[in-house]
Amino acid sequence: MSALAHLPSQLHPFRDRLTAGVLPAARATRPGDWETRDSDAFQAADIIPLLRPLLLLEGAPHADRDAMEEALGQVELSRTRLITLLFSPDHVLETIASAFVAEGHTPEPARVWSWMCWITEAAHRQLCASTAPDAHLMRPLAHRLRFLVLSEPLRHREDPVWAGDPGESADPCGNTFGYRTWSLLVLRAEEARRDWLAVLNAYQSSPLLSGVGSDALDAELVLTVADNWSRRSRFSSSHHPLDEPAEPTVRDNAVLGHIVHRHLLPRFRILHVTRLAPPAGRDHWRAAVLTLATAALLAAVVGGFASGYWFHTGAALAGLAYAVLVTGVVKQGPLWAAQWLLRYPAAAAFGLFALLALPMNWWSDPHPRWGIAAFVLVAGALGYLVVEVRNHNVSGRQAFCRALGVLFIGAVHAFLLSLIVLVFVAATYTESAPDGDGRIPMHQLWHTTGLAWQVLALATAWSLVVGVFSQILWDDRPITAPLAHLTWNDGG
């Protein structure tokens, strides 16, 4: 029977997390016979002798914390075992379960995890104190494994399989590092997350991680705050007992904000941001903004075929959409605001103000080939975005698709803002009767059909491309960056 068959089904998601993300890229640096090496390094018969100092205290009532710390210091792993643990943690996890079976015991999920936790903690301490030439190469993976292992119970709140009777010796999670050390476990999990995030922030500096693709990196990043790309899968690092519910803490939200701003937005992971950012439950603010923006677009479309005040209606709805959006930002905070890419409307406004300073013939009598001009501007903006996201280590096809999505969001912002400015503002700052036959004043333009849409298309394309390219003049940050200039963190 394989070792995997001995692993409790409740630990299979844990095993999947251990082997996901950046680990396949790190494993690719190992020799071809790595599986044989791992089997030789860790066998079921090796586990109990390795953990004997800790097992003597495991069932003791009120095990002293200092005694557990001393016992942890007595667990030493050879270099081959360290390599197996870091590169094949799934093998070690399965071997621990097999050790239970070999001793005639049922491999309970929480106890199997606690043994894995002890081995991981001992290995992390050994590597951090080591002066071996290759120790610095393995430390990034040690930080990763320590975080994934220590944070695993946090992903199982109110699960009777994991949440034992608090304070009792039969509570492996609550007594991992001694009697009633649940808070210590949570603190160490947070410490491990900070260490691992610091590595991910500079992953290209690590020889083992420098070849990691953006998908694998993002999959690793999301595990620091959730089980997958869903708001509902987020876990809490609260110190509340494991058998009690808990919402993500301020620290959890700060980590998510850091991941969104430093990693997901620069790589144009907009859909993932929208799935993680909303508050619990239905996001009524986002639904209201999208409904109003869609209504504004539809009103403008009707205005392109019928005279009247359809463009004015669309402009009013667009203004109301932005009013709701701003109110939502005030209510929900910066994380909710990140999904809207608010640098786009700010930069697009800059482009519109420059456009209004040009001679009036662009709107009073557009060139017959106005469509070519709009297309060239939009194509230039798309090319810029593709190159930018490709240089952020996103693969070619994904770079194009993500850039197209960001361009679409920017085009919507540019269109809505152009509608508002041209309908309600521009007429005040332009001549009421431009010279030349067939030219009409700006305020009468919106009672026409085709000409109004030509002007809107030109203004949208212009403000869009100015908004994209003007980012190099702001503070050398991507167009997807939050509408802020300062942060108060050390980047870790």
Side-chain angles (χ1 to χ4, degrees):
M1 183 178 293
S2 67
L4 179 58
H6 296 149
L7 189 69
S9 60
Q10 296 90 338
L11 291 180
H12 286 188
F14 177 38
R15 178 187 179 277
D16 293 340
R17 280 186 280 274
L18 293 176
T19 57
V22 304
L23 193 64
R27 274 180 173 173
T29 63
R30 300 190 67 190
D33 62 343
W34 61 269
E35 292 181 330
T36 302
R37 295 177 182 227
D38 292 342
S39 298
D40 293 339
F42 266 103
Q43 298 181 6
D46 301 329
I47 299 299
I48 291 181
L50 179 66
L51 295 177
R52 193 174 304 281
L54 289 157
L55 295 178
L56 295 174
L57 300 171
E58 183 184 29
H62 298 190
D64 183 64
R65 171 181 166 181
D66 293 335
M68 293 291 291
E69 292 294 311
E70 183 180 351
L72 270 173
Q74 297 175 23
V75 178
E76 292 191 15
L77 285 81
S78 64
R79 183 178 181 277
T80 55
R81 284 183 174 176
L82 281 173
I83 292 174
T84 296
L85 176 65
L86 299 180
F87 287 88
S88 299
D90 54 322
H91 170 71
V92 179
L93 183 67
E94 294 164 10
T95 304
I96 292 173
S98 296
F100 275 88
V101 175
E103 291 295 315
H105 301 297
T106 301
E108 299 173 5
R111 286 195 67 200
V112 173
W113 166 85
S114 67
W115 287 23
M116 183 71 177
C117 181
W118 289 336
I119 295 176
T120 300
E121 189 73 4
H124 182 268
R125 295 182 185 189
Q126 186 175 331
L127 271 176
C128 288
S130 175
T131 58
D134 58 352
H136 73 283
L137 296 176
M138 294 190 286
R139 283 186 192 123
L141 292 182
H143 292 317
R144 172 187 184 269
L145 180 61
R146 185 180 186 232
F147 163 69
L148 289 176
V149 172
L150 291 177
S151 65
E152 184 62 22
L154 301 175
R155 306 175 193 271
H156 301 278
R157 285 194 175 273
E158 297 186 281
D159 185 342
V161 174
W162 289 80
D165 189 5
E168 296 298 325
S169 58
D171 178 19
C173 298
N175 301 308
T176 305
F177 299 114
Y179 181 62
R180 291 190 175 180
T181 52
W182 168 250
S183 292
L184 177 62
L185 173 64
V186 175
L187 287 173
R188 288 182 176 176
E190 290 190 85
E191 177 190 54
R193 179 165 61 180
R194 287 194 298 270
D195 292 340
W196 179 222
L197 272 178
V199 172
L200 291 175
N201 288 339
Y203 75 98
Q204 291 176 326
S205 299
S206 171
L208 293 177
L209 303 180
S210 57
V212 171
S214 64
D215 285 346
L217 184 64
D218 292 341
E220 197 73 56
L221 284 162
V222 75
L223 290 178
T224 62
V225 291
D227 294 341
N228 53 57
W229 298 106
S230 170
R231 173 65 172 80
R232 296 177 182 177
S233 73
R234 289 187 61 190
F235 63 85
S236 172
S237 62
S238 169
H239 289 235
H240 289 301
L242 200 56
D243 58 348
E244 296 180 5
E247 290 295 316
T249 65
V250 173
R251 298 181 299 276
D252 297 328
N253 290 332
V255 171
L256 177 57
H258 174 79
I259 292 171
V260 166
H261 298 157
R262 187 180 177 98
H263 294 276
L264 300 185
L265 288 178
R267 288 194 285 274
F268 295 1
R269 283 283 200 179
I270 310 304
L271 288 178
H272 293 75
V273 173
T274 60
R275 294 176 65 183
L276 285 172
R282 181 174 174 80
D283 190 354
H284 298 286
W285 289 101
R286 183 166 65 187
V289 172
L290 293 177
T291 300
L292 289 169
T294 302
L297 289 170
L298 292 176
V301 169
V302 174
F305 297 96
S307 59
Y309 289 90
W310 285 104
F311 285 108
H312 295 79
T313 302
L317 289 171
L320 185 58
Y322 278 111
V324 174
L325 195 157
V326 171
T327 306
V329 171
V330 173
K331 293 281 189 179
Q332 303 294 345
L335 189 59
W336 186 84
Q339 63 187 311
W340 299 105
L341 308 188
L342 293 181
R343 285 203 175 207
Y344 255 129
F350 174 77
L352 283 172
F353 296 150
L355 187 61
L356 291 178
L358 296 178
M360 293 181 298
N361 61 306
W362 74 267
W363 59 263
S364 59
D365 186 19
H367 193 278
R369 296 180 179 176
W370 63 272
I372 297 178
F375 174 80
V376 169
L377 289 174
V378 173
L382 177 61
Y384 179 96
L385 293 173
V386 169
V387 171
E388 178 178 345
V389 72
R390 183 67 183 93
N391 286 338
H392 289 163
N393 201 30
V394 177
S395 62
R397 182 177 181 180
Q398 286 186 332
F400 179 80
C401 294
R402 294 186 196 179
L404 201 62
V406 169
L407 184 77
F408 174 76
I409 296 174
V412 173
H413 275 303
F415 178 83
L416 295 177
L417 205 63
S418 297
L419 189 62
I420 295 170
V421 172
L422 294 180
V423 171
F424 291 138
V425 179
T428 306
Y429 294 93
T430 57
E431 296 182 23
S432 58
D435 296 332
D437 296 335
R439 298 185 175 183
I440 61 176
M442 175 66 81
H443 67 275
Q444 294 182 6
L445 175 67
W446 309 111
H447 295 283
T448 66
T449 53
L451 180 59
W453 258 99
Q454 294 177 26
V455 173
L456 270 176
L458 286 171
T460 298
W462 175 275
S463 59
L464 174 64
V465 72
V466 170
V468 169
F469 284 98
S470 68
Q471 289 308 295
I472 60 176
L473 303 177
W474 282 44
D475 49 5
D476 200 24
R477 302 180 71 188
I479 188 69
T480 52
L483 191 58
H485 293 273
L486 295 175
T487 58
W488 289 269
N489 62 64
D490 59 2

